[in-house]
């Protein structure tokens, strides 16, 4: 039974909450973003072009940032009282409204999308003000966040009432302020670092959401085609791609950046962890669309250039993002793994550039092979003899 009134409290103490897990409310909150990511993927399917990809990214960023805002707040200040539950319920409504307005989100639905995002950020500001009132030690950070996010929310609110393209100019300015706000509060973050076991789990859960789109893509692609050998093989390779990147990501995930920040005072590594996840999840979500388009393509005709670039470019973006995370120790620090991820990204881009005329089965086979080789390399490197011999592991 929840408490009727329970002020926000610090939830970052390792000594009291060594294995803190996601709450049922957080998991319920994530369901709205399953729908939002699905709508974003649907938008991209309808327009696989540079302009379609640009629109997908433009709308993906505020959706992801909405999730990030609530997640970081709950990581530090979560309380299970009626007030917090009601505020989360409102944020779920705003996220659902964003999902509703994603279709034509850069056209006739853009005012609704902007209003939905602005309201969600306003609720987050209220939560930070509430936390600052009850936790004096956190007030410098909560005040900085409340002011920055309030300014961004105001810009998004105003944008709903002015015409395009000025509307999008305010979106750009608002999202820049939103992204910059945590960076301006770095000196206040050191004493309020996120929980080392809870935050990686939350990031992992959002990664699962976008990986789920890849699984849905395989099911949708196969269900809309007549079953034949090439379709089945392509579907298997689509699952191999998703499974490989699940393996690579979760086998290397941990609270390393928070531990580094806590012991060495390097807050920047936490921010690097945060912002590098954006291209990672964008790449995974777009890869799911790419897999589906391959499965829907005529198996005996060359894969269209736009589809080849989508699947190769999106998986290359995932590989590059994971390479950066390895290189700077944000996930398991390993220069060898970082080099393999970077090499994988280069090979995938080479397939995109030089693969004109390849059949769909050939393209998805090559992408799956590059992805699976990343897993094989990790397994080989994790052998006990290799661990002892290689100082870079």
């Amino acid at each position: 039974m929840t408490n009727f009134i329970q002020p926000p409290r610090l939830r970052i103490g390792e000594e009291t909450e060594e294995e803190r897990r996601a709450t049922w409310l957080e998991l319920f909150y994530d369901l709205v973003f399953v729908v939002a990511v699905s709508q974003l993927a649907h938008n991209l399917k309808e327009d696989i072009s540079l302009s379609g990809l640009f629109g997908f990214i433009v709308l993906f960023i505020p959706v992801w940032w909405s999730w990030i805002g609530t997640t970081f707040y709950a990581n530090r200040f979560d309380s299970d009282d009626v007030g917090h539950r009601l505020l989360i319920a409102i944020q779920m409504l705003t996220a659902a409204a964003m999902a509703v307005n994603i279709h034509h989100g850069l056209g006739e639905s853009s005012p609704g999308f902007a209003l939905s995002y602005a309201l969600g950020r306003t609720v987050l500001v209220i939560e930070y003000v509430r936390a600052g009132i009850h936790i004096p030690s956190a007030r410098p950070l909560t005040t900085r966040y409340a002011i920055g996010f309030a300014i961004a929310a105001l810009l998004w609110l105003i944008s709903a009432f002015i015409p395009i393209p000025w509307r999008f100019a305010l979106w750009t300015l608002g999202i820049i302020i939103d992204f910059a706000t945590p960076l301006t509060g770095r000196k206040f973050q050191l004493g309020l670092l996120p929980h080392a076991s809870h935050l990686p789990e939350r990031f992992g859960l959002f990664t699962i959401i976008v990986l789920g789109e890849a699984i849905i893509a395989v099911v949708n692609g196969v269900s809309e085609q007549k079953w034949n050998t090439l379709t089945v093989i392509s579907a298997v390779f689509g699952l191999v791609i998703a499974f490989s990147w699940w393996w690579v990501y979760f086998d290397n995930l941990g609270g390393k950046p928070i531990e580094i920040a806590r012991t060495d005072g390097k807050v920047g590594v936490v921010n690097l962890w945060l912002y590098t996840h954006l291209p990672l999840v964008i790449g995974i979500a777009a890869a799911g669309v790419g897999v589906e388009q391959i499965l829907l393509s005529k198996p005996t005709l060359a894969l269209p250039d736009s589809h080849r670039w989508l699947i190769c470019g999106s998986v290359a973006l995932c590989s590059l993002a994971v390479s950066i995370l390895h290189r700077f120790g944000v996930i398991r620090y390993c220069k060898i793994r970082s080099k393999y991820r970077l090499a994988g990204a280069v090979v995938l881009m080479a397939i995109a550039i030089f693969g004109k005329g390849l059949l769909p089965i050939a393209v998805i086979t090559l992408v799956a092979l590059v992805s699976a080789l990343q897993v094989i390399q990790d397994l080989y490197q994790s052998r006990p003899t290799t661990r002892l011999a290689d100082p870079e592991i």
Side-chain angles (χ1 to χ4, degrees):
M1 182 85 180
T2 183
N3 294 313
F4 188 75
I5 295 295
Q6 179 182 331
R9 57 196 175 100
L10 281 176
R11 299 292 304 276
I12 57 176
E14 296 294 328
E15 69 281 355
T16 57
E17 298 182 274
E18 185 177 349
E19 290 297 331
R20 182 182 165 194
R21 314 303 297 180
T23 65
W24 293 117
L25 182 59
E26 287 176 312
L27 296 175
F28 186 50
Y29 175 75
D30 289 351
L31 290 178
V32 183
F33 289 88
V34 174
V35 178
V37 171
S38 179
Q39 290 298 309
L40 289 164
H42 178 74
N43 259 19
L44 182 57
K45 291 174 200 173
E46 292 190 341
D47 184 11
I48 299 179
S49 63
L50 282 177
S51 61
L53 181 62
F54 177 76
F56 169 76
I57 294 172
V58 166
L59 294 173
F60 195 105
I61 290 173
V63 168
W64 176 77
W65 194 247
S66 294
W67 182 88
I68 287 292
T70 304
T71 296
F72 266 81
Y73 173 84
N75 181 271
R76 289 189 174 104
F77 307 115
D78 188 25
S79 61
D80 190 21
D81 69 324
V82 171
H84 177 68
R85 288 189 176 190
L86 291 177
L87 288 172
I88 291 295
I90 296 173
Q91 287 176 312
M92 291 179 70
L93 286 173
T94 63
M98 289 174 68
V100 168
N101 287 285
I102 282 171
H103 199 53
H104 303 302
L106 297 181
E108 61 190 47
S109 298
S110 57
F113 186 86
L115 287 172
S116 303
Y117 181 74
L119 181 56
R121 302 307 286 176
T122 301
V123 175
L124 184 64
V125 169
I126 292 171
E127 289 178 317
Y128 273 113
V129 170
R130 185 174 180 234
I133 291 172
H134 293 285
I135 310 171
S137 62
R139 198 167 295 156
L141 181 68
T142 59
T143 301
R144 179 66 60 94
Y145 279 13
I147 292 173
F149 295 152
I151 294 171
L154 180 62
L155 291 173
W156 278 81
L157 179 63
I158 294 171
S159 76
F161 302 99
I162 63 174
I164 297 172
W166 300 111
R167 176 177 300 147
F168 299 141
L170 287 185
W171 285 21
T172 302
L173 181 58
I175 208 69
I176 289 173
I177 293 173
D178 258 339
F179 272 55
T181 295
L183 297 178
T184 63
R186 288 178 62 178
K187 66 179 181 179
F188 306 121
Q189 292 176 18
L190 193 57
L192 295 167
L193 291 170
H195 195 281
S197 65
H198 179 252
L199 194 61
E201 181 188 25
R202 297 296 291 130
F203 272 58
L205 287 169
F206 194 90
T207 306
I208 287 289
I209 289 173
V210 290
L211 281 169
E213 278 302 308
I215 305 301
I216 293 171
V218 172
V219 174
N220 286 344
V222 173
S223 65
E224 295 182 29
Q225 285 279 48
K226 290 184 179 180
W227 280 65
N228 58 58
T229 303
L230 293 181
T231 301
V232 172
I233 293 173
S234 296
V236 170
F237 282 135
L239 289 174
V240 167
I241 293 169
F243 188 67
S244 296
W245 289 104
W246 167 84
W247 192 309
V248 167
Y249 179 81
F250 285 97
D251 229 31
N252 293 282
L253 184 63
K256 190 72 173 179
I258 299 171
E259 294 167 9
I260 293 173
R262 184 170 286 117
T263 56
D264 301 340
K266 297 180 179 179
V267 179
V269 72
V270 177
N271 291 324
L272 179 65
W273 184 34
L274 165 62
Y275 295 113
T276 308
H277 269 78
L278 176 58
L280 175 63
V281 293
I282 285 176
I284 294 173
V289 177
V291 168
E292 183 171 353
Q293 294 308 305
I294 287 178
L295 294 175
L296 292 175
S297 299
K298 294 184 178 180
T300 56
L301 296 179
L303 186 69
D305 291 346
S306 58
H307 295 178
R308 186 182 71 255
W309 275 97
L310 177 61
I311 184 65
C312 293
S314 57
V315 179
L317 184 61
C318 298
S319 195
L320 177 61
V322 177
S323 174
I324 294 171
L325 295 175
H326 277 303
R327 181 63 184 82
F328 292 95
V330 182
I331 57 177
R332 181 180 302 180
Y333 174 72
C334 182
K335 291 182 180 178
I336 293 176
R337 296 188 185 201
S338 179
K339 291 175 182 176
Y340 268 86
R341 309 301 180 238
L342 181 59
V346 171
V347 171
L348 288 164
M349 292 309 298
I351 297 170
I353 295 169
F354 301 110
K356 188 177 182 64
L358 289 176
L359 295 177
I361 183 68
V363 174
I364 199 168
T365 299
L366 290 172
V367 175
L369 181 61
V370 173
S371 301
L373 283 174
Q374 302 295 323
V375 177
I376 293 170
Q377 190 278 331
D378 281 9
L379 288 172
Y380 174 79
Q381 193 186 15
S382 296
R383 295 183 308 162
T385 54
T386 309
R387 279 181 175 278
L388 293 173
D390 196 333
E392 287 192 325
I393 298 178

